[in-house]
């Protein structure tokens, strides 16, 4: 194959240059998240603009529509589009509709960027791209680890920002973990021997970072991914069924998890919990009680951020009402219930089950890593940050693009070096 047939080259010099810029921005995203821990949507959006230029140059608007239409017509696409529209409608009954609309934009824009990248037909990550992305994740991980070890000496010297608490970098640590998984998967399965060495190095560096960070969610996610990957390799269909059952049960019972733990967790065990874990149970109980006050339609998209100001939530038992000011319930399934009610939670549950069903149709060796990734990321969102944050949606979108991309071109001349 000639260099002109490289996956990055897309018909014309302008299209090829735009696609190269888009790939470069995506590869730089891990380092951007180290420098500014909310920058993932910006880099994904700029990459989408570059790919949009490439797509328009190649096939015009018609070509873009032909690229995106199958995704929108697919059952998962219909469900996610339905959730996005329901979330938009729900801002109409929120006590702060303007804030809900802003968060809706933060949630939707990374998804639109991902659709644009796919529709362009210009995103074809070569082995060289995967190697570069592996290196940038390794560099970002090393920089983060150095920050922790030196009490942010480099950040102070560069005067990047004034926030120097280690928990502030949980987003960057999660980014490195989430992006490392599809990179390791593709380099290990489709790369040469040195690519497998790079994949092992990437896994070791990211695991070291995760356990050095303050992110308990990242640690949980990594452990779940490793354990699930091992079990998937041994019994793929059984593990997929167990994952689907656990996912559905967690989504359906999210409002009851806090009260159940509060009532059933033995006092002797609870006394050994870290203070942050004990507080999290209290948060889940409070927001679960709020969700059951308006179970069908919820309080409106992103209402959880200021739920203490909602008139309905004021009826929550006084000892727990102060927890509503925490900003979000630290659980995406519970936040889906609080913000969008049973309708929103059902749409997201159906989309997740359809995704697992698609993974079930893959050959077991091919499905193991994506299925383990699903399990690990779901474990993260069950205990961690706000559900609709743009940086998280952007990172997941890029990971999905990497998993779904065509196999690496083994014949590409640029990869023979």
């Amino acid at each position: 194959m000639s260099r002109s047939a490289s996956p990055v080259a897309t018909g014309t010099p302008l299209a090829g240059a735009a696609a190269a810029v888009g790939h470069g921005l995506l590869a730089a995203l891990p380092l951007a998240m180290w420098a500014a821990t909310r920058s993932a949507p910006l880099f994904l959006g700029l990459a989408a603009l570059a790919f949009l230029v490439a797509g328009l140059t190649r096939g015009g608007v018609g070509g873009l529509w032909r690229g995106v239409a199958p995704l929108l017509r697919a059952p998962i696409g219909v469900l996610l589009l339905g959730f996005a529209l329901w979330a938009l409608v729900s801002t109409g009954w929120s006590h702060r509709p303007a804030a809900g609309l802003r968060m809706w934009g933060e949630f939707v824009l990374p998804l639109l960027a991902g659709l644009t990248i796919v529709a362009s037909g210009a995103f074809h990550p070569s082995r060289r791209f995967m190697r570069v992305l592996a290196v940038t994740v390794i560099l970002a991980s090393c920089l983060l680890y150095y920050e922790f070890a030196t009490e942010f000496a480099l950040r102070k010297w560069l005067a990047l920002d004034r926030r120097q608490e280690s928990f502030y970098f949980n987003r960057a640590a999660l980014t490195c973990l989430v992006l490392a998984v599809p990179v390791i998967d593709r380099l290990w399965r489709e790369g040469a021997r040195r690519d497998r060495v790079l994949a092992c190095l990437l896994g070791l560096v990211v695991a070291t970072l995760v356990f050095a960070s303050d992110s308990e969610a990242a640690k949980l996610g990594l452990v779940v991914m490793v354990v699930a990957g091992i079990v998937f390799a041994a019994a793929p269909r059984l593990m997929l069924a167990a994952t689907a059952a656990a996912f559905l049960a967690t989504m359906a019972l999210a409002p009851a998890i806090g009260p159940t733990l509060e009532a059933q967790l033995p006092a002797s065990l609870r006394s050994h919990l870290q203070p942050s874990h004990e507080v999290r149970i209290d948060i889940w109980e409070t927001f679960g009680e709020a969700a059951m006050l308006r179970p069908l339609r919820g309080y409106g998209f992103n209402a959880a951020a200021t739920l203490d100001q909602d008139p309905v939530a004021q009826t929550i038992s006084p000892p727990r009402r102060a927890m509503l000011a925490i900003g979000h319930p630290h659980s995406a399934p519970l936040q889906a219930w609080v913000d969008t009610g049973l309708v929103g939670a059902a749409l997201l549950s159906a989309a997740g089950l359809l995704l697992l069903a698609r993974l079930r149709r893959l050959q077991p060796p091919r499905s193991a890593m994506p299925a383990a990734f699903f399990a690990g990321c779901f474990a993260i969102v069950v205990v961690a940050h706000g559900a609709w944050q743009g940086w998280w949606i952007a990172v997941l979108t890029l990971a999905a693009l990497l998993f779904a991309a065509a196999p690496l071109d083994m014949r590409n001349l640029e990869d023979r070096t």
Side-chain angles (χ1 to χ4, degrees), residues 33-239:
M33 283 294 286
W34 161 73
T37 61
R38 290 185 180 271
S39 59
L42 173 62
F43 273 69
L44 185 70
L46 291 175
L49 288 176
F51 283 113
L52 178 63
V53 172
L56 290 173
T57 305
R58 293 174 69 241
V61 175
L64 289 174
W65 174 248
R66 287 190 295 273
V68 76
L71 298 176
L72 296 178
R73 295 186 187 125
I76 295 178
V78 172
L79 287 169
L80 291 179
L81 179 60
F83 175 78
L85 292 176
W86 174 255
L88 178 61
V89 170
S90 75
T91 62
W93 55 77
S94 169
H95 64 283
R96 294 188 64 191
L101 285 172
R102 285 195 298 271
M103 182 55 72
W104 187 83
E106 184 175 334
F107 166 70
V108 168
L109 286 178
L111 298 177
L112 292 178
L115 284 174
T116 301
I117 292 172
V118 173
S120 72
F123 178 65
H124 301 290
S126 64
R127 277 201 290 170
R128 177 173 292 179
F129 172 82
M130 299 304 291
R131 291 170 185 164
V132 171
L133 184 54
V135 170
T136 58
V137 173
I138 289 172
L139 286 175
S141 300
C142 291
L143 286 168
L144 286 165
Y145 187 86
Y146 182 76
E147 299 274 29
F148 301 149
T150 63
E151 297 183 353
F152 310 100
L154 181 59
R155 186 163 294 268
K156 293 174 183 177
W157 181 66
L158 293 174
L160 284 175
D161 57 48
R162 297 179 180 179
R163 298 186 180 183
Q164 293 164 1
E165 299 87 357
S166 56
F167 71 86
Y168 178 68
F169 298 95
N170 288 350
R171 303 186 195 105
L174 283 166
T175 297
C176 290
L177 172 61
V178 169
L179 295 183
V181 178
V183 174
I184 291 171
D185 178 50
R186 305 205 66 187
L187 288 178
W188 185 265
R189 288 189 302 104
E190 304 171 26
R193 180 179 300 175
R194 63 174 177 173
D195 294 318
R196 291 191 168 194
V197 173
L198 180 59
C200 291
L201 177 62
L202 174 58
L204 179 63
V205 171
V206 169
T208 302
L209 166 68
V210 165
F211 284 102
S213 73
D214 279 353
S215 179
E216 299 297 325
K219 296 169 188 174
L220 173 64
L222 176 58
V223 170
V224 170
M225 287 178 193
V226 172
V227 172
I230 294 172
V231 179
F232 271 120
R237 294 192 180 278
L238 177 61
M239 193 60 190

Side-chain angles (χ1 to χ4, degrees), residues 377-414:
C377 287
F378 186 65
I380 289 170
V381 300
V382 166
V383 302
H385 46 73
W388 324 123
Q389 294 181 11
W391 70 269
W392 175 249
I393 306 300
V395 172
L396 285 182
T397 298
L398 178 53
L401 291 173
L402 295 173
F403 272 123
L408 303 180
D409 190 345
M410 303 297 288
R411 300 171 296 166
N412 196 338
L413 289 178
E414 69 175 3

